[in-house]
Amino acid sequence: MPTSLEDLPPELLAQIVSYAANARTLSCVALTCSKLHKFLQSNEGYRAFVQRRFPSIQTPPCWKDAAHGLTTLSRAWVRKSIVARCIRPPQDPRRPRIQDQRRPRGQTMGYQPVIDSYGIWTDSEWKSRKEVVAWGAGAELIIRVKWMGNGIEEEWHTARRNNGNTAEFDQHHHRSKWWTIRDPLVREGQDDITVVKLLKHGQKPLSHCEYIIVGRASGKLDMLSIDTRTPDEWRYETHFITEEQHIRSASVNSAEEPLLAACINDRTVAIYSVSVGHDFVPPLGKIQVTEPNVSESSWVWYTIFLRQDRLAVSIGPSTEPIQIFDVRPHAISSYRIRAFSIQERSKEGGIGLLRTSISSLVPLAGAPEGDLFLSGGYDGIIRLHDLRSPTAYVASWTDLVDQFSSIYSLLPVRLGRFLVGGSNHALLKVFDMREVNGTGYSYDRQDHALHHTQFDVVGDPSANESGHGSGDWNVFLSDRGPDADSLPNAQRRSNTPVYSLSSPNSAWPTIYAGLEGQVVQLELTSVYDRFPDPIYKVGSKHAREGSLYHKEAAHRWDPGHEIVYLPSAPTAQLQSFSAPILNLQDTRVDAPFFGANSWTGILKPVNGGNIPAHHAFVKLSMTFKDGGAFDFATIYERIKETAAQAVEVARENGRSQGPDLADVNLDQLPAYEEVGNTISAPPPPPTLQQPTPISAVTAQAPPRESGIVLPSGDERNTGPPATAGQQQYPPPNEPPPGYEEVQQGSIADSLERRVRDAS
């Protein structure tokens, strides 16, 4: 009968490790014995862990890296660790940037980006990936293709050795190519792009090409292609025949021979077969949305495939704003199979139907057969609909802080959350919908109880919106960089809606958000993570021994108690500089929401400090990429306070020039503890004497301002000589008189000085 873990068969070990709380537990188990180490290194243990904790996520069979990446992603969600940056194609000297182009006459706002993206693993390694993102920027189409992996890392090293040109690589050594496509026949402001859809892997005729379906406000609907092997080349593949009215929305299903559903006018949804090799493609059929409760001012807002043969359409204003249709390649139903209404409570207490519009629909990630989907409308409420339930919706969420903001975009993620793009303040909302007894992984789970958002049940008349769970939070995405105020319509940019959201893969830490005139890339990773996701291992900002960032760190402090700066790459203008500690004033720690903390101050130059004399002061800033800013500030304030106290004492004793700071002991005072029963007797403490005036100091007995004189080496070993008339006293076991008052006074003076400086 087995008596320990190492005696169990592999099948039982796999079941046991699948219940591990996190990946670190598996690493600790692997260190217990050679058999468990061999079992986990064979990927069987990590496979059981990943498949149980992340059942809906499909990953390559690199289970250890998958466990590392997915648990790191969960930790980033819990810690709200996001690195955000605006992305744009590199500057082409032959043409101006999109945001710098002159707008057409009468157009007062920037473009509204519509985004689509997808990502695939290129082989069995976790880091080997290909990511494609495309968005409409006014009348232009921007595409970026990114490759990642060990092979791309080798390309970076080869390029650096040969010619040093690594312009196509980012800080993580990922290689990117950009395309900016503008048809010379389109008109800015009239042919703006309203639909962008990428054909996914398995739907494309050629793997080295990317196929993009583009719809425009003028009614044009086309499919074009680019060859990723050759830059700056693109061509039209197919023109879909429309009624040349506004293309408001479109969707492509996931079949190998995909179908395209597009809103070609206010009441008509056309279904097309997506194929390459046909110049003009007519619709296979049309769906006319003509119901009695739809008014003349209503139109189709959004359409999306819930699965390959099921289409959801939102129309409004209507009392039945969501309608479901059966769509097949050769049998398109003109009748809806289900309609959803929205209930509301009247002032009299009754329940009626709400006449509203739904602006966004999205199927729930991992839901079977497309039965679950989310909807968001102009009432600011996100609802979860279930086609298997007779009720209109089974759960709802709302933002208690921003209740009246309309919903512009939705994006579900596999880790039990979904993102919402609001209509104001560039506000991105994160909602947590994890279940209490679910088996999914949660970094913040304690005792196997998952934090969750309380769902509202439609059958309960008193519940029409949910409160915030512990995992719900908001983030502002407005661009407040150094040049934000100089951009066109800077005030509008800070109040822009989040028009669109997209993620290449639900298991990846990358999300794209479309704001007015810009696209923001969000990466779920921490700049302070010592063990980031393997795709961010190269170029991450955490400092390690021997890493590039560690070697470039300069020493700022010198034993001579001066500020000394030695740059890692000196220039002709700046070799180094130095100044006394007390010449640095108005120091503070800046902790931004995004990015590393920094410590800043105003430095007064001195003669011989290598700072030109015409500078009355200079601003000193130090960035802490791996934490420690507050600890550094605390130590600096203590050293500065001790130095200032020494100067004050010296002036009170008649030394107008002040003391030599090199002779001042800036170490902290020792902590006094009671003498306990120890095996070896502690060394005798310093003897207490009366303070010696500075004028009477001798070289044999250097004084200290505290009145404590340390014994010499011989005296420390033998103790003071005893005389007949001198009584020996035991060593004191308590602080000297006034020690606590002095410490409290120093703290009070420091606080008072900081308050005075701040005011």
Side-chain angles (χ1 to χ4, degrees):
M1 181 176 181
T3 58
S4 63
L5 280 177
E6 60 181 356
D7 297 331
L8 295 176
E11 293 80 5
L12 292 181
L13 287 177
Q15 289 293 327
I16 292 174
V17 299
S18 66
Y19 287 89
N22 48 49
R24 180 178 296 180
T25 303
L26 301 183
S27 299
C28 295
V29 171
L31 299 176
T32 57
C33 66
S34 59
K35 181 178 180 180
L36 293 177
H37 177 78
K38 182 178 180 181
F39 170 74
L40 289 172
Q41 290 301 319
S42 66
N43 273 334
E44 288 300 320
Y46 290 103
R47 179 182 63 82
F49 173 79
V50 171
Q51 290 181 348
R52 176 174 175 81
R53 295 302 185 187
F54 306 95
S56 63
I57 297 179
Q58 302 295 327
T59 64
C62 46
W63 302 111
K64 185 176 181 179
D65 287 342
H68 181 188
L70 293 175
T71 54
T72 302
L73 179 59
S74 177
R75 180 171 67 245
W77 276 115
V78 173
R79 294 181 175 179
K80 307 175 181 63
S81 302
I82 300 178
V83 177
R85 60 174 59 90
C86 295
I87 60 173
R88 57 177 63 95
Q91 175 67 27
D92 188 347
R94 298 170 299 179
R95 56 196 305 275
R97 285 183 179 176
I98 297 172
Q99 62 269 22
D100 297 334
Q101 293 178 1
R102 187 180 302 276
R103 296 189 182 91
R105 183 176 300 177
Q107 190 169 347
T108 59
M109 61 182 298
Y111 64 85
Q112 302 177 11
V114 286
I115 311 173
D116 194 18
S117 61
Y118 79 89
I120 58 171
W121 278 280
T122 55
D123 57 27
S124 59
E125 294 182 356
W126 178 259
K127 297 193 299 182
S128 299
R129 306 178 180 185
K130 176 185 176 182
E131 177 190 297
V132 183
V133 58
W135 71 87
E140 293 185 336
L141 177 66
I142 299 177
I143 307 167
R144 187 189 70 180
V145 183
K146 180 187 290 187
W147 293 270
M148 297 164 269
N150 294 329
I152 305 301
E153 176 74 13
E154 292 297 329
E155 292 182 13
W156 181 87
H157 288 289
T158 302
R160 189 174 185 182
R161 286 193 302 264
N162 294 341
N163 53 17
N165 184 12
T166 57
E168 290 187 349
F169 299 86
D170 60 11
Q171 71 273 21
H172 303 297
H173 298 177
H174 303 160
R175 182 165 59 89
S176 300
K177 284 188 177 181
W178 293 82
W179 286 262
T180 301
I181 300 174
R182 181 184 179 91
D183 189 336
L185 299 179
V186 301
R187 298 158 296 178
E188 192 76 31
Q190 300 182 19
D191 295 314
D192 286 356
I193 296 176
T194 57
V195 169
V196 172
K197 294 297 175 182
L198 290 166
L199 294 190
K200 307 303 189 289
H201 182 71
Q203 298 178 329
K204 303 182 299 181
L206 300 175
S207 60
H208 60 270
C209 294
E210 299 298 333
Y211 298 86
I212 309 99
I213 297 174
V214 178
R216 300 183 181 273
S218 59
K220 298 179 181 179
L221 186 61
D222 308 301
M223 183 173 67
L224 53 87
S225 66
I226 60 172
D227 191 339
T228 57
R229 300 172 300 180
T230 58
D232 300 331
E233 291 188 7
W234 64 276
R235 66 174 184 176
Y236 283 112
E237 295 286 350
T238 302
H239 300 277
F240 299 99
I241 300 176
T242 65
E243 298 180 5
E244 296 187 358
Q245 294 191 22
H246 181 77
I247 306 295
R248 187 171 286 108
S249 175
S251 178
V252 178
N253 67 0
S254 59
E256 293 185 1
E257 297 180 357
L259 295 178
L260 169 66
C263 306
I264 60 175
N265 61 32
D266 292 345
R267 303 291 181 84
T268 304
V269 177
I271 309 298
Y272 299 89
S273 175
V274 179
S275 59
V276 179
H278 299 82
D279 293 338
F280 295 92
V281 176
L284 297 176
K286 297 181 180 179
I287 299 176
Q288 299 292 335
V289 185
T290 56
E291 294 299 322
N293 56 351
V294 176
S295 64
E296 293 296 331
S297 60
S298 301
W299 55 75
V300 175
W301 284 95
Y302 203 84
T303 179
I304 190 169
F305 279 99
L306 301 180
R307 64 184 191 189
Q308 295 184 10
D309 58 351
R310 184 174 294 169
L311 183 69
V313 178
S314 69
I315 188 171
S318 173
T319 56
E320 294 180 343
I322 303 175
Q323 303 180 18
I324 310 298
F325 296 89
D326 186 23
V327 175
R328 302 181 186 276
H330 304 291
I332 299 176
S333 174
S334 59
Y335 299 98
R336 63 187 186 186
I337 61 175
R338 178 77 184 271
F340 291 89
S341 58
I342 306 300
Q343 298 177 351
E344 67 171 348
R345 178 180 292 274
S346 63
K347 297 181 180 180
E348 293 77 13
I351 297 179
L353 297 181
L354 177 64
R355 186 177 181 84
T356 184
S357 299
I358 300 297
S359 56
S360 183
L361 297 169
V362 61
L364 199 61
E369 298 297 328
D371 291 329
L372 296 175
F373 64 95
L374 295 169
S375 70
Y378 286 91
D379 55 359
I381 301 177
I382 305 96
R383 297 175 176 87
L384 176 63
H385 306 271
D386 190 346
L387 291 173
R388 301 164 298 182
S389 173
T391 58
Y393 59 95
V394 296
S396 64
W397 296 264
T398 187
D399 184 3
L400 300 182
V401 178
D402 188 24
Q403 300 184 34
F404 305 104
S405 177
S406 302
I407 306 302
Y408 271 53
S409 54
L410 292 170
L411 178 66
V413 294
R414 295 273 182 170
L415 298 183
R417 296 173 176 85
F418 64 89
L419 309 182
V420 178
S423 61
N424 294 310
H425 314 300
L427 191 61
L428 179 65
K429 309 175 183 182
V430 181
F431 289 91
D432 193 337
M433 52 185 294
R434 289 172 291 176
E435 297 179 356
V436 179
N437 297 321
T439 59
Y441 176 81
S442 174
Y443 172 78
D444 60 340
R445 181 176 58 185
Q446 301 293 336
D447 299 330
H448 300 279
L450 298 181
H451 298 293
H452 66 286
T453 300
Q454 295 181 354
F455 293 164
D456 290 333
V457 181
V458 178
D460 183 5
S462 62
N464 59 354
E465 59 186 26
S466 67
H468 269 262
S470 60
D472 301 347
W473 46 279
N474 297 341
V475 59
F476 294 93
L477 300 180
S478 58
D479 183 10
R480 303 308 305 164
D483 57 345
D485 294 334
S486 62
L487 296 175
N489 290 335
Q491 184 176 2
R492 289 184 59 91
R493 287 174 180 263
S494 62
N495 196 34
T496 172
V498 180
Y499 290 106
S500 56
L501 293 169
S502 179
S503 177
N505 191 303
S506 58
W508 294 8
T510 304
I511 296 169
Y512 296 99
L515 311 181
E516 180 183 333
Q518 58 185 328
V519 173
V520 179
Q521 175 179 315
L522 307 172
E523 294 176 310
L524 274 298
T525 184
S526 173
V527 296
Y528 303 120
D529 197 345
R530 295 182 57 196
F531 305 100
D533 190 298
I535 63 173
Y536 298 127
K537 185 177 181 180
V538 177
S540 59
K541 296 182 180 298
H542 64 281
R544 292 186 179 180
E545 192 69 26
S547 67
L548 177 64
Y549 291 97
H550 181 81
K551 292 178 181 178
E552 290 182 352
H555 296 282
R556 266 79 174 183
W557 296 98
D558 184 81
H561 309 303
E562 289 188 348
I563 301 168
V564 179
Y565 177 70
L566 303 174
S568 58
T571 62
Q573 292 78 16
L574 177 61
Q575 299 289 334
S576 65
F577 68 83
S578 62
I581 293 177
L582 297 180
N583 282 34
L584 187 58
Q585 305 291 334
D586 193 21
T587 58
R588 67 183 187 276
V589 176
D590 296 327
F593 188 83
F594 295 112
N597 296 341
S598 61
W599 181 81
T600 60
I602 302 300
L603 180 65
K604 297 180 179 179
V606 295
N607 294 330
N610 290 344
I611 297 178
H614 63 273
H615 291 289
F617 64 89
V618 294
K619 182 178 180 181
L620 179 64
S621 178
M622 298 169 56
T623 301
F624 293 78
K625 299 178 180 178
D626 194 28
F630 292 97
D631 295 337
F632 179 86
T634 302
I635 296 174
Y636 166 77
E637 292 296 335
R638 177 180 59 80
I639 294 175
K640 181 180 177 181
E641 180 182 352
T642 305
Q645 184 178 5
V647 172
E648 183 178 355
V649 172
R651 291 177 179 175
E652 290 177 355
N653 287 276
R655 297 178 60 181
S656 59
Q657 299 297 329
D660 187 359
L661 293 181
D663 298 332
V664 178
N665 189 356
L666 299 180
D667 295 333
Q668 284 185 306
L669 294 175
Y672 286 86
E673 299 178 355
E674 295 185 359
V675 179
N677 297 327
T678 57
I679 298 177
S680 60
T687 59
L688 300 179
Q689 297 181 359
Q690 294 297 327
T692 305
I694 295 179
S695 60
V697 173
T698 61
Q700 290 78 10
R704 295 168 60 94
E705 281 76 12
S706 61
I708 301 177
V709 178
L710 296 175
S712 62
D714 296 334
E715 295 173 347
R716 190 179 297 110
N717 295 330
T718 61
T723 60
Q726 185 177 2
Q727 183 179 0
Q728 298 293 329
Y729 294 94
N733 59 357
E734 59 182 1
Y739 180 82
E740 296 182 356
E741 287 78 6
V742 172
Q743 291 288 76
Q744 294 176 359
S746 299
I747 297 175
D749 293 341
S750 176
L751 292 176
E752 183 179 358
R753 189 181 298 106
R754 294 181 185 179
V755 172
R756 185 171 59 253
D757 294 342
S759 60

